[in-house]
Amino acid sequence: MDSRRSGNLPIVISSLLAILTTNQRDVSTDLLKHGLADLGAFRMLEDITAKVGPRLSGSVGAAKGVTWVQKEMLKLGFSNVGLVPCMVPHWVRGDVESGFIGSKKQPLSLCALGGSVATPKGGVTAGVIEVKSLEEATKLGKKAAGMIIFFNRAFDSSLPNTFGAYGGANDQRVRGASVAAAVGAVGVLVRSMTLAEDDEPHTGAMRYTEKVKQVPAAALGIKSANRLSAALKANPEIKITFTLSCKTLPDAPSASVIGEIVGSERPEEVIVMGGHLDSWDLGRGAHDDGAGVTQSLEALRLLKKLGLRPKRTIRVVAFMNEENGGRGAAAYAERVGKSKEIAYAAMESDAGGFMPRSFGVTEAKFEAVQPWAERLKVFGIERFSKGGGGADIAPLAAHGAILFGLQPENQRYFDYHHSRNDTIDKVNPRELEFGAMAMAMLAWLISEEGIQN
Amino acid sequence: MDSRRSGNLPIVISSLLAILTTNQRDVSTDLLKHGLADLGAFRMLEDITAKVGPRLSGSVGAAKGVTWVQKEMLKLGFSNVGLVPCMVPHWVRGDVESGFIGSKKQPLSLCALGGSVATPKGGVTAGVIEVKSLEEATKLGKKAAGMIIFFNRAFDSSLPNTFGAYGGANDQRVRGASVAAAVGAVGVLVRSMTLAEDDEPHTGAMRYTEKVKQVPAAALGIKSANRLSAALKANPEIKITFTLSCKTLPDAPSASVIGEIVGSERPEEVIVMGGHLDSWDLGRGAHDDGAGVTQSLEALRLLKKLGLRPKRTIRVVAFMNEENGGRGAAAYAERVGKSKEIAYAAMESDAGGFMPRSFGVTEAKFEAVQPWAERLKVFGIERFSKGGGGADIAPLAAHGAILFGLQPENQRYFDYHHSRNDTIDKVNPRELEFGAMAMAMLAWLISEEGIQN
């Protein structure tokens, strides 16, 4: 046969058939095979936690993180790799963090809450009043004057979902300082937001209310909180001292990082997969949220590796500044608003790199996505639950995006969250990969089938 | 009012009402509250792993384990606390375990497989042939004479369930030695049964086939297995040396431990909750299977603490010798067979103390238990799956028991299984407790509602 005339035709046809077959069959088997063999999310997470480390907004680590994601996206062959600039708060912890009880100087394990002012150089020394709520602090009235208020309401351990327990306690961390200062307190200590029983303090964002005096605020490790509570029961007059040297510098330039596969049929309809690139300065930002960033990268890598060409654009966004400002999310949403693209859907992973359990979804689309539930089961997704999203993709709802939030097993998350223990050794490579594969599968289903009105 | 005449009547009535109410309402809220506040399973697991340690059949640790469970049951106020004696194999590891590659003595991380004979005192030195299956070893024929056979088939990582991956690889560990010896091999090395990427060797039971020469068998850590494989590729003639000093002593007396709440209406119908008390000598037997024993104890403790009086007898059994003989399970089933009691149902926890995901159930009862699925969800149980049980309760099927097996999250299990890493720090207190609460709830449902034919 003369190959110049007709010999290439069968090859062309078989190639076309291969593409059709690949695109139409359930890709879950291939995702499992390549995902669990390569463990790409974990390889990337090992790399960023080792080479970049913690990535608090405004820090050298955050800047290195931006470069790391950009390079990784280019290496993986993503299209339209670029930055979405934003200005971020720039808070630094400083060198000094310490505290002790009484004249015997019984040590307290503590760390400044993110955003706190420093104490005077020699620390704050004052009597302590323990309270369990903001309301109780407010009711102290004049009794609080000159005192340190110790917010010691624990997580409600009877709640099966630890995020529920967190939600029920973290007003103390976020608002405690200003509530206490409003009645004259000179400083605030807050029981760490955790169910762990160790003595690691867990940081996290706090906010000052305008026109209220800014007083220093620190988190206590659980054992220290219990120790202080016991000391106060033994002697309510006891004084404590704590010293912080943190400060807020002027806002700094930073950026979120994006990269994508351009859709073959509806390139203007964009499906976002994302997590946040910044992390607290303690630990290495492994579960929070190196996991979400590397799972998003891995999900798109897998789709590329499988040779899939999605109908809609699938874009990875590594958001900057989720922890203490949300500026990256705001800047990205603003950019979407000014563009001609359609924010079709967005999914976020920011609840740790544990085994997936469900996807939250925008309530109005709960019924529409049910046909996909069965196809996600092999990745550990038991169901869709009502209410989707996460802090970084929430602003996209105003632009019409349907939101999804990956919901992994949550029992261990707050053991590590915002503490020195958020490190790579707490992440299981396969559990992390299951999240990445679930995101890849969901993005593929959204891209190919669309979400019904 | 004269309390001697009628004053006590309202108290009696309200007490009766309280009992009825407690018995009839869904107890899940109370289980959650007390379980997650007390974390009783973890407290017990901390205690047994710290004070007793590893508990291989026939060892001092196993004997201490029997005493520990007995004391714990008495302390918890269980009824009819007692022992079910059995004779157990008594294998000891000995002091010497080492191995190296070639004349440069590149070290290999290895441990004897349970049941292996020792090497000669100076070790076995021989050439090595790497194979991936028992069949491949058999096909070596005369080439195997005088050689060490290296079974290096890895887990199939693409299987979502790691127990499936384990099942697909562990014939190498269990039967490799005799298959290799049948074609003249002088020793066997087996890639550890794990998906972890470290260099910890994982032990586990191996069995010799009758009339085949018994040759020494050891497990290699994954990095060592990869190192050896690479060394063989570089130089197929390379020799290795390994030395083991393990031996099998005469069978020793031991026992399983039982304790119960006697049923109020059908005391002769017994529901078993159990795990195995023995553990491999490496590690501390935390996930395998201190978890199952302490979850079973905790489940009954919770039912007692809630003041529940079950209609049927609920019994905890801490089985001896699951790992290398199943003698405890056999002796317990034999005792049941000789008694007048009815083996109504049995549930086992022997898959790690991770977050529950499902309960396996005897296939014929799959439909009958569906009404309970919803009431178990709060404990992490997503569904019943077909096929129930576990090694220790399997013999009870012949006596009519309906079998249930707790199936927790399984990604991490083989990272620790049978290795030095099976320690308490790998167990999350809440995840362990969820398993205990799920078992308590299921036992209560079985007891109160019975299982329909």
Side-chain angles (χ1 to χ4, degrees):
Chain A
M1 261 197 14
D2 185 352
S3 68
R4 284 170 300 175
R5 267 201 304 127
S6 61
N8 284 336
L9 200 57
I11 294 172
V12 170
I13 288 171
S14 75
S15 298
L16 278 171
L17 277 174
I19 290 167
L20 283 171
T21 312
T22 307
N23 271 330
Q24 284 170 1
R25 78 164 175 250
D26 193 325
V27 299
S28 60
T29 307
D30 285 348
L31 281 173
L32 277 177
K33 186 180 145 199
H34 291 287
L36 292 173
D38 300 349
L39 298 172
F42 190 75
R43 301 290 167 243
M44 288 187 265
L45 190 57
E46 281 184 312
D47 202 61
I48 190 171
T49 53
K51 292 187 188 156
V52 176
R55 307 172 293 282
L56 187 59
S57 291
S59 69
V60 173
K64 284 168 73 177
V66 168
T67 306
W68 183 92
V69 174
Q70 244 183 321
K71 279 192 183 165
E72 202 67 27
M73 286 181 170
L74 291 169
K75 201 166 74 188
L76 296 173
F78 292 0
S79 301
N80 301 324
V81 174
L83 302 182
V84 182
C86 59
M87 294 298 290
V88 294
H90 188 187
W91 177 84
V92 294
R93 183 169 300 280
D95 298 328
V96 184
E97 284 188 331
S98 67
F100 55 84
I101 306 173
S103 53
K104 287 180 185 166
K105 300 198 171 182
Q106 194 185 359
L108 290 168
S109 174
L110 59 78
C111 68
L113 291 179
S116 174
V117 297
T119 61
K121 216 160 189 185
V124 172
T125 300
V128 180
I129 303 177
E130 177 180 336
V131 297
K132 294 291 171 65
S133 68
L134 301 179
E135 297 65 37
E136 201 184 330
T138 299
K139 281 187 190 156
L140 290 174
K142 287 176 186 167
K143 274 186 260 174
M147 303 293 279
I148 292 167
I149 303 303
F150 167 34
F151 289 95
N152 194 31
R153 183 166 88 260
F155 275 25
D156 178 353
S157 67
S158 72
L159 295 174
N161 187 313
T162 59
F163 281 86
Y166 176 63
N170 79 345
D171 61 341
Q172 302 174 99
R173 186 194 79 202
V174 177
R175 297 174 50 216
S178 287
V179 166
V183 286
V186 295
V188 159
L189 294 174
V190 182
R191 183 184 182 88
S192 278
M193 297 293 126
T194 185
L195 285 153
E197 299 176 333
D198 56 25
D199 210 12
E200 283 296 332
H202 294 237
T203 190
M206 55 82 61
R207 282 195 304 271
Y208 291 117
T209 306
E210 272 184 52
K211 295 182 191 167
V212 174
K213 186 172 157 56
Q214 299 190 348
V215 299
L220 286 179
I222 296 302
K223 286 185 177 174
S224 288
N226 294 343
R227 211 151 53 220
L228 177 56
S229 186
L232 288 169
K233 278 190 187 65
N235 176 12
E237 307 299 318
I238 208 160
K239 292 190 174 185
I240 71 137
T241 299
F242 76 101
T243 311
L244 307 177
S245 62
C246 43
K247 61 181 167 183
T248 299
L249 305 174
D251 282 5
S254 187
S256 301
V257 191
I258 62 175
E260 64 196 21
I261 302 180
V262 178
S264 59
E265 293 182 16
R266 301 181 179 206
E268 73 286 2
E269 296 187 2
V270 178
I271 300 160
V272 163
M273 305 189 292
H276 65 85
L277 180 50
D278 63 311
S279 78
W280 282 105
D281 54 333
L282 309 175
R284 312 288 287 186
H287 278 293
D288 186 15
D289 184 25
V293 169
T294 56
Q295 284 174 322
S296 300
L297 291 168
E298 170 70 354
L300 201 61
R301 182 192 78 84
L302 284 169
L303 294 177
K304 275 187 77 76
K305 183 166 183 182
L306 266 53
L308 300 173
R309 182 78 198 275
K311 292 179 188 170
R312 294 175 170 86
T313 294
I314 304 181
R315 178 182 298 160
V316 173
V317 185
F319 291 97
M320 181 51 66
N321 188 228
E322 189 272 347
E323 292 293 4
N324 58 342
R327 304 279 184 86
Y332 178 80
E334 193 185 332
R335 176 183 178 278
V336 169
K338 288 179 180 165
S339 77
K340 287 178 181 164
E341 73 184 45
I342 295 163
Y344 191 77
M347 74 185 74
E348 182 167 330
S349 166
D350 185 18
F354 304 94
M355 192 67 185
R357 196 91 179 198
S358 54
F359 269 118
V361 58
T362 297
E363 193 161 348
K365 297 298 178 183
F366 179 71
E367 292 303 333
V369 298
Q370 291 307 318
W372 298 339
E374 199 56 37
R375 299 169 78 178
L376 290 162
K377 278 204 171 150
V378 72
F379 305 109
I381 301 294
E382 298 284 356
R383 68 180 66 81
F384 287 100
S385 58
K386 289 181 186 174
D392 282 316
I393 60 173
L396 296 175
H399 298 284
I402 298 155
L403 306 186
F404 296 84
L406 181 64
Q407 297 169 333
E409 222 23 274
N410 62 70
Q411 296 306 321
R412 293 169 186 248
Y413 187 61
F414 292 99
D415 291 0
Y416 316 134
H417 183 248
H418 296 185
S419 85
R420 285 179 191 84
N421 284 331
D422 187 7
T423 48
I424 188 73
D425 55 303
K426 311 306 188 310
V427 180
N428 178 275
R430 284 171 60 92
E431 293 185 355
L432 185 72
E433 190 71 23
F434 271 99
M437 296 185 297
M439 291 171 76
M441 188 73 208
L442 179 58
W444 178 247
L445 289 166
I446 298 171
S447 163
E448 299 313 284
E449 302 187 10
I451 301 170
Q452 302 305 311
N453 275 319
Chain B
M1 261 199 7
D2 185 352
S3 68
R4 284 169 299 175
R5 267 199 307 126
S6 60
N8 284 337
L9 199 57
I11 295 172
V12 171
I13 290 173
S14 75
S15 298
L16 278 170
L17 278 174
I19 290 166
L20 283 171
T21 313
T22 306
N23 271 329
Q24 283 169 1
R25 78 163 175 249
D26 192 326
V27 299
S28 60
T29 307
D30 284 349
L31 282 173
L32 277 177
K33 186 180 146 198
H34 291 287
L36 292 173
D38 300 349
L39 298 171
F42 190 76
R43 301 289 166 244
M44 288 187 266
L45 190 58
E46 281 182 313
D47 201 62
I48 190 171
T49 53
K51 292 187 189 155
V52 176
R55 307 172 294 280
L56 187 59
S57 291
S59 69
V60 173
K64 284 168 74 177
V66 168
T67 306
W68 183 92
V69 174
Q70 244 183 321
K71 278 192 184 165
E72 202 67 27
M73 286 180 170
L74 291 169
K75 202 165 72 186
L76 296 173
F78 293 0
S79 302
N80 302 324
V81 174
L83 302 182
V84 183
C86 59
M87 293 298 289
V88 294
H90 190 187
W91 178 84
V92 293
R93 184 168 298 281
D95 297 330
V96 183
E97 284 187 331
S98 66
F100 56 83
I101 306 173
S103 52
K104 287 180 186 167
K105 302 198 170 183
Q106 195 185 359
L108 291 168
S109 172
L110 59 77
C111 70
L113 291 178
S116 174
V117 296
T119 62
K121 216 162 189 184
V124 173
T125 299
V128 180
I129 303 178
E130 177 179 337
V131 297
K132 295 291 171 65
S133 69
L134 301 179
E135 298 66 36
E136 201 183 331
T138 299
K139 282 186 190 156
L140 290 173
K142 287 175 184 168
K143 275 186 260 174
M147 303 293 280
I148 292 167
I149 304 302
F150 168 33
F151 290 94
N152 194 30
R153 183 166 87 260
F155 275 25
D156 178 354
S157 67
S158 72
L159 296 174
N161 189 313
T162 59
F163 282 85
Y166 176 64
N170 79 345
D171 61 342
Q172 302 173 99
R173 187 194 78 202
V174 177
R175 297 174 51 217
S178 287
V179 166
V183 287
V186 295
V188 157
L189 294 174
V190 182
R191 183 183 182 88
S192 279
M193 297 293 126
T194 185
L195 285 154
E197 299 175 333
D198 57 24
D199 210 12
E200 283 296 331
H202 295 236
T203 190
M206 55 81 62
R207 283 195 303 269
Y208 291 116
T209 307
E210 272 183 52
K211 295 180 191 168
V212 174
K213 185 173 158 57
Q214 300 191 347
V215 300
L220 285 179
I222 295 303
K223 286 184 178 174
S224 288
N226 294 343
R227 211 149 53 218
L228 177 56
S229 187
L232 287 168
K233 278 190 187 66
N235 176 12
E237 307 299 319
I238 207 159
K239 292 191 173 183
I240 70 138
T241 299
F242 75 102
T243 310
L244 307 176
S245 61
C246 43
K247 60 181 166 184
T248 299
L249 304 174
D251 282 5
S254 188
S256 302
V257 192
I258 61 175
E260 64 197 22
I261 301 179
V262 178
S264 60
E265 292 182 15
R266 302 181 177 205
E268 73 287 1
E269 297 188 1
V270 177
I271 300 159
V272 163
M273 304 189 291
H276 66 85
L277 179 50
D278 64 309
S279 78
W280 282 105
D281 54 334
L282 309 175
R284 312 289 287 185
H287 277 293
D288 186 15
D289 185 26
V293 170
T294 55
Q295 284 174 321
S296 300
L297 291 167
E298 170 69 354
L300 202 61
R301 183 191 77 84
L302 284 170
L303 294 178
K304 275 187 78 73
K305 183 166 183 182
L306 266 52
L308 300 173
R309 182 79 198 273
K311 293 179 187 169
R312 295 174 169 86
T313 294
I314 304 180
R315 178 183 297 160
V316 172
V317 185
F319 290 96
M320 182 50 66
N321 187 228
E322 189 273 345
E323 291 294 3
N324 57 342
R327 304 281 185 83
Y332 179 79
E334 193 185 333
R335 177 183 178 279
V336 168
K338 288 179 181 164
S339 77
K340 288 180 180 162
E341 72 184 45
I342 295 163
Y344 191 77
M347 74 186 76
E348 182 167 330
S349 166
D350 186 17
F354 304 94
M355 192 66 186
R357 196 91 177 197
S358 53
F359 268 118
V361 59
T362 298
E363 193 162 349
K365 298 297 178 184
F366 179 72
E367 293 301 334
V369 299
Q370 291 306 318
W372 297 339
E374 199 56 38
R375 298 169 78 179
L376 290 162
K377 279 205 169 150
V378 72
F379 306 110
I381 301 293
E382 298 284 355
R383 68 181 67 81
F384 286 100
S385 57
K386 289 179 186 176
D392 282 316
I393 60 174
L396 296 176
H399 298 283
I402 297 154
L403 306 185
F404 296 84
L406 182 63
Q407 298 169 333
E409 223 21 277
N410 62 70
Q411 297 306 321
R412 295 169 185 247
Y413 187 61
F414 293 99
D415 292 359
Y416 316 133
H417 182 248
H418 296 185
S419 84
R420 286 178 190 87
N421 285 331
D422 187 7
T423 47
I424 188 74
D425 55 303
K426 310 306 187 310
V427 181
N428 178 276
R430 284 172 59 93
E431 292 184 356
L432 185 73
E433 189 71 23
F434 271 98
M437 296 185 297
M439 291 171 76
M441 188 74 209
L442 179 59
W444 179 247
L445 289 166
I446 298 170
S447 164
E448 299 313 283
E449 302 187 10
I451 301 170
Q452 302 305 312
N453 275 318

